[in-house]
Amino acid sequence: MSPKSDGATVITAPETDVEGVDNEAVTKNLVFVAAERLFALHGFQNVSVRDITAAAGVNLASVNYHFGSKDALLYEIFRRRTVELNRERAKKLHEATDRHAGNPPVREILAALLTPPLKWLAPDHERRISLQFLIRARSEGTDEIRKVLQTDVTHLRRFSDALLKARPDLPSEEIYWRLHFTLGMLHNNRFAEFDRLNVLSEGATSEADVEALLGRMLAFAEAGFSA
Amino acid sequence: MSPKSDGATVITAPETDVEGVDNEAVTKNLVFVAAERLFALHGFQNVSVRDITAAAGVNLASVNYHFGSKDALLYEIFRRRTVELNRERAKKLHEATDRHAGNPPVREILAALLTPPLKWLAPDHERRISLQFLIRARSEGTDEIRKVLQTDVTHLRRFSDALLKARPDLPSEEIYWRLHFTLGMLHNNRFAEFDRLNVLSEGATSEADVEALLGRMLAFAEAGFSA
DNA sequence: GCCAAATTCGAACGGCCGTAAGACTTCCCC
DNA sequence: GGGGAAGTCTTACGGCCGTTCGAATTTGGC
C-alpha cells in the first residue's frame, strides 16, 4: 500500500486506550490504533510494519518492542476487539433472557447477535473501523487467529443454545445451519460489498442508516428461521 | 506457505484445459491448475511464484512467460472461472424465465443464482477448488479484481431485474438488500467456515451433502424474501 | 541530581519476493 | 535437414520485508 495516500498519515487523536486512561499519546497506543485502521482498510498482508509506524509517527522498532512481532500485534487487536464485541452481544442476550423468563424468542436472540456489530457500523461510531478490521481478520488473518476462530466457539454456543431452546421443534442441525447463514449475512457487510451494492442499485441503497439495515437483516433472518 | 506440505506437490492429471484439448501436460495449463489450487487453499499473498512453479513441476520463469505476471495469472484464473460460473447461472435463469412466461417466481431465480456454485461445492466435483478460489479472490484479490467486481454488475443485474419483476410490490431497495443478504450467505461457504460450524454443532452438520445444503439455503433465502 | 530501568532511535542484516536477461533446447514449417 | 520461432532453463538483480542490535535518550524512584 506504500504508493497510496491515506488522508491523515499521522493519528493525532486516537480514541482508544491500550490499558487505561491518559495514554492517548503513548507509543503503544498509537501503534495499536494506526495498525487497526490500516489493517481494516488494506488488509494484513498489504500493510507493512513501516506503514504502521509511519502512520503512527513512531519509530520502526516500536511494533516489535511493544508487541513482539507483527503477527502478535494483529492478534492483540483481534483479541481485544473480539472480547469487546462479544461482551456487548452477551449482555444483550442476557437481558433478553431475563425479559422472557429464560426463553427469549428467535428475533430477540438474533437481535442480540446482530445489533452490536451493526451499531459499530454507523458512520460516526468510534468502532466503525474495528468492525471492518474484525471482518477482514476473520478471513485474512494468521493461522493463530484462524485456529482460535475454529476452536473457541463458547461464545457462539450461547446463541445456538438459546436458539435450540427457542425452537425445540427444529432439528438441531437445522438451527446450526441457519445460524451459519445469518453469520454469513453479517460478515458480508464490508465496505467493498456496500460499494458493489450501491453500484448495482444505482444509489438506492445506503448503508449509512444502520437502524434500517438492522431492521432489514433481522426481518430477513427471522423469516429464514421461520421457514 | 513454503514450510507446509500439500499432499500431491505435482499435478499429474489436471482436469482443465487452457485453450482447447490435448494440452493437459502443457506448461501453461500446469501452472494454471496448480496456481488455482494453491490460491484457493492458502490465499493469493501466501503463495509465491516459486510455490506455484514447484507444485506444477515447471520452471520458475513459466509464470511470467505465459501470463506476464503473478497478478495477471490470478486475474486470468478469476476471469475464466467467473465467466464459467456466471454462464451456468444465466442458463438456469433463462430456462426458468422460459418456463414461467418471462416472470419466474423468487425461488426459481434464487435457485438459478445458488445452484451452480453449490453444485461446484460437492466433494467430488471438478470445480470444487475453483469455487473456493472465487470466494477468496473476491475478498483477497488484487485492486484490478476488486475494481471489476465493483464495476461490472451486468451479470448480477439480470437477477435483480428478475427479482424486481417477481416482487413488484416490494420497494426496489428492499430487493437489492435482500439479494445482498443472499449473496452473503453464499460467500460464507468457505472451508474454514464449515470447519467452524462442524465444531459448533459437534459434527451434526455436514457440508458434503450439497443437495441438502442447497435446499436449506433456498428455503432460508426464499423465506427472507417473503418477510 | 543520580542511577537504573524503560523506552526510543538509527541502522543494518538476512531472507524471500517478483521479475528479467540471456543461453540453451525443442519444435515446426519450408 | 536447415533455420527461425517458440518454449524452457539457469541465474541473478533490485527491492521490500520483519526483525534485531547497540547506542542514545527519557523516565521514575530515592
Side-chain angles (χ1 to χ4, degrees):
Chain A
M1 61 143 279
S2 293
K4 297 175 195 163
S5 175
D6 213 26
T9 51
V10 176
I11 308 294
T12 55
E15 62 274 276
T16 308
D17 292 347
V18 170
E19 292 207 57
V21 289
D22 286 344
N23 60 351
E24 282 193 355
V26 168
T27 298
K28 185 171 183 178
N29 191 55
L30 292 173
V31 169
F32 185 100
V33 175
E36 178 179 39
R37 172 182 163 82
L38 291 177
F39 288 159
L41 292 178
H42 308 292
F44 178 63
Q45 312 257 20
N46 296 316
V47 174
S48 69
V49 174
R50 285 165 177 81
D51 290 329
I52 297 166
T53 52
V58 302
N59 187 267
L60 168 63
S62 303
V63 165
N64 289 276
Y65 180 78
H66 286 287
F67 297 92
S69 68
K70 185 191 175 189
D71 279 26
L73 167 59
L74 178 79
Y75 186 75
E76 182 159 336
I77 304 174
F78 174 76
R79 197 188 47 80
R80 181 125 53 95
R81 295 311 188 207
T82 299
V83 168
E84 186 178 351
L85 179 61
N86 286 348
R87 198 179 345 247
E88 289 188 25
R89 287 166 151 175
K91 178 161 172 277
K92 274 204 174 292
L93 179 61
H94 188 76
E95 290 169 357
T97 307
D98 284 350
R99 246 182 285 119
H100 293 87
N103 191 6
V106 168
R107 185 181 181 93
E108 300 248 1
I109 301 167
L110 295 180
L113 186 68
L114 300 181
T115 303
L118 281 181
K119 280 246 162 69
W120 284 19
L121 201 59
D124 57 349
H125 199 285
E126 64 171 0
R127 290 287 171 273
R128 177 169 169 81
I129 215 68
S130 303
L131 184 68
Q132 296 297 315
F133 168 89
L134 282 177
I135 292 177
R136 283 196 95 124
R138 161 173 296 272
S139 59
E140 302 173 37
T142 59
D143 286 342
E144 187 170 15
I145 286 183
R146 225 166 294 123
K147 202 184 68 184
V148 169
L149 280 173
Q150 266 179 43
T151 306
D152 186 16
V153 292
T154 56
H155 166 259
L156 207 50
R157 181 152 287 134
R158 280 200 281 261
F159 287 87
S160 61
D161 284 347
L163 288 167
L164 286 166
K165 192 189 274 190
R167 290 296 303 273
D169 54 311
L170 283 179
S172 65
E173 49 184 294
E174 196 64 41
I175 296 285
Y176 292 119
W177 276 115
R178 295 184 186 185
L179 179 57
H180 170 75
F181 296 152
T182 305
L183 291 173
M185 294 169 56
L186 175 65
H187 297 150
N188 200 35
N189 286 337
R190 274 169 269 177
F191 290 157
E193 295 294 333
F194 285 145
D195 290 343
R196 179 174 163 84
L197 179 62
N198 285 334
V199 171
L200 177 67
S201 72
E202 289 166 333
T205 53
S206 168
E207 72 275 14
D209 187 353
V210 291
E211 289 289 341
L213 175 53
L214 174 61
R216 288 184 220 275
M217 284 191 63
L218 271 178
F220 193 98
E222 189 191 11
F225 267 92
S226 306
Chain B
M1 59 144 280
S2 293
K4 297 173 195 161
S5 175
D6 213 27
T9 52
V10 176
I11 309 295
T12 55
E15 62 273 278
T16 309
D17 293 346
V18 169
E19 292 205 57
V21 289
D22 286 345
N23 60 352
E24 283 193 355
V26 167
T27 299
K28 185 171 182 179
N29 190 54
L30 292 174
V31 168
F32 186 99
V33 174
E36 178 180 37
R37 171 180 164 83
L38 291 177
F39 288 160
L41 292 178
H42 308 292
F44 178 63
Q45 312 258 18
N46 296 316
V47 174
S48 70
V49 174
R50 285 165 177 80
D51 291 329
I52 298 167
T53 52
V58 302
N59 189 266
L60 169 62
S62 303
V63 166
N64 287 276
Y65 180 77
H66 286 287
F67 297 92
S69 69
K70 186 191 175 190
D71 279 26
L73 168 59
L74 178 79
Y75 185 75
E76 183 160 333
I77 304 175
F78 174 76
R79 197 188 47 78
R80 181 127 54 96
R81 296 309 187 208
T82 299
V83 167
E84 186 177 352
L85 179 62
N86 286 347
R87 197 176 349 243
E88 289 188 25
R89 286 166 151 176
K91 179 161 172 279
K92 273 205 173 292
L93 179 61
H94 188 75
E95 290 168 358
T97 306
D98 284 351
R99 245 182 287 120
H100 293 87
N103 191 6
V106 168
R107 186 181 181 93
E108 300 248 1
I109 300 167
L110 295 179
L113 186 68
L114 300 180
T115 302
L118 282 182
K119 279 246 163 68
W120 285 19
L121 200 60
D124 57 349
H125 198 284
E126 65 171 359
R127 289 287 171 271
R128 177 169 169 81
I129 215 67
S130 303
L131 184 69
Q132 295 298 314
F133 169 88
L134 282 176
I135 291 177
R136 282 195 96 123
R138 160 174 297 272
S139 58
E140 302 172 37
T142 60
D143 286 342
E144 189 171 14
I145 286 183
R146 225 167 293 122
K147 202 185 68 185
V148 169
L149 280 173
Q150 265 178 44
T151 306
D152 185 15
V153 291
T154 55
H155 165 259
L156 207 49
R157 182 154 286 132
R158 281 199 281 262
F159 287 87
S160 61
D161 283 348
L163 288 167
L164 286 166
K165 193 190 273 190
R167 289 296 302 273
D169 55 310
L170 282 178
S172 65
E173 48 183 295
E174 197 64 40
I175 295 286
Y176 292 119
W177 276 115
R178 296 184 186 185
L179 178 56
H180 169 76
F181 296 152
T182 305
L183 291 173
M185 294 168 56
L186 174 64
H187 297 150
N188 200 35
N189 286 337
R190 273 168 269 179
F191 291 157
E193 295 294 333
F194 286 144
D195 290 342
R196 178 175 163 83
L197 179 62
N198 286 333
V199 172
L200 177 66
S201 73
E202 289 166 334
T205 53
S206 168
E207 73 274 14
D209 187 352
V210 291
E211 288 291 340
L213 176 52
L214 175 61
R216 288 184 220 275
M217 283 191 63
L218 271 178
F220 192 98
E222 189 190 13
F225 267 91
S226 305

